[in-house]
């Protein structure tokens, strides 16, 4: 009986983390959408902005798909995509600031958020044992 309770607590904790992280990636994607809406209407801002929009929304969508994965291998594959897309999102944010298309000071918290998202996803990916 005790073993079952302990396992349920662990599962509840894992489930809570999964739901919280799903919400976090969605919120981050919404922040990127709002940023995109504020970008100047120039050619380079549009190109980088669309790439940023695609990669950020891909993180949220693929994490959601990973949570619904039918196997460990499917979960791992989706997680790998999430790591790549989150890292790409960081690149586009850096380019927006470094090119002075958008003020770096207004990008800092979003850059930090995607740095943390990459770190969490990469750690989760490393934990996969292939079983």
């Amino acid at each position: 009986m005790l073993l079952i309770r302990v396992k349920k607590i662990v599962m509840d904790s894992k489930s809570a983390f999964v739901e919280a992280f799903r919400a976090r990636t969605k919120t981050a994607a919404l922040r990127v959408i709002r940023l995109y809406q504020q970008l100047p209407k120039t050619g380079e801002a549009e190109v980088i902005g669309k790439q940023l929009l695609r990669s950020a929304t891909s993180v949220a969508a693929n994490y959601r798909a990973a949570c619904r994965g039918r196997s460990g291998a499917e979960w791992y594959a989706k997680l790998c995509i999430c790591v790549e897309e989150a890292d790409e999102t960081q690149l586009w944010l850096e380019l927006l600031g470094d090119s002075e298309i958008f003020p770096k000071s207004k990008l800092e918290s979003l850059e930090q958020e995607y740095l943390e998202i990459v770190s969490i996803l990469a750690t989760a990916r490393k934990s996969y044992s292939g079983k």
Side-chain angles (χ1 to χ4, degrees), residues 3-58:
L3 179 61
I4 293 170
R5 281 185 177 222
V6 171
K7 192 172 185 176
K8 182 176 177 0
I9 291 169
V10 171
M11 290 302 291
D12 287 348
S13 175
K14 182 180 176 185
S15 178
F17 173 80
V18 166
E19 287 307 310
F21 199 70
R22 276 178 60 161
R24 185 173 182 176
T25 58
K26 181 179 175 182
T27 298
L30 286 168
R31 289 178 64 195
V32 168
I33 291 168
R34 289 186 198 103
L35 167 65
Y36 178 79
Q37 293 169 338
Q38 295 176 30
L39 290 176
K41 305 301 180 213
T42 63
E44 60 275 10
E46 185 174 331
V47 169
I48 294 172
K50 284 184 179 181
Q51 291 287 82
L52 171 64
L53 199 56
R54 284 185 189 102
S55 62
T57 55
S58 178

Side-chain angles (χ1 to χ4, degrees), residues 88-108:
E88 184 178 328
T89 299
Q90 286 181 288
L91 170 67
W92 300 125
L93 289 167
E94 290 169 12
L95 287 174
L96 281 176
D98 291 347
S99 64
E100 300 179 355
I101 291 173
F102 203 78
K104 277 187 174 192
S105 61
K106 292 184 177 183
L107 297 170
E108 286 174 356

Side-chain angles (χ1 to χ4, degrees), residues 66 69-80 125 128-131:
R70 295 169 291 215
S71 68
E74 187 175 347
W75 173 84
Y76 182 78
K78 290 293 183 181
L79 214 58
C80 287
R125 181 177 65 179
Y128 179 68
S129 65
K131 295 179 184 175

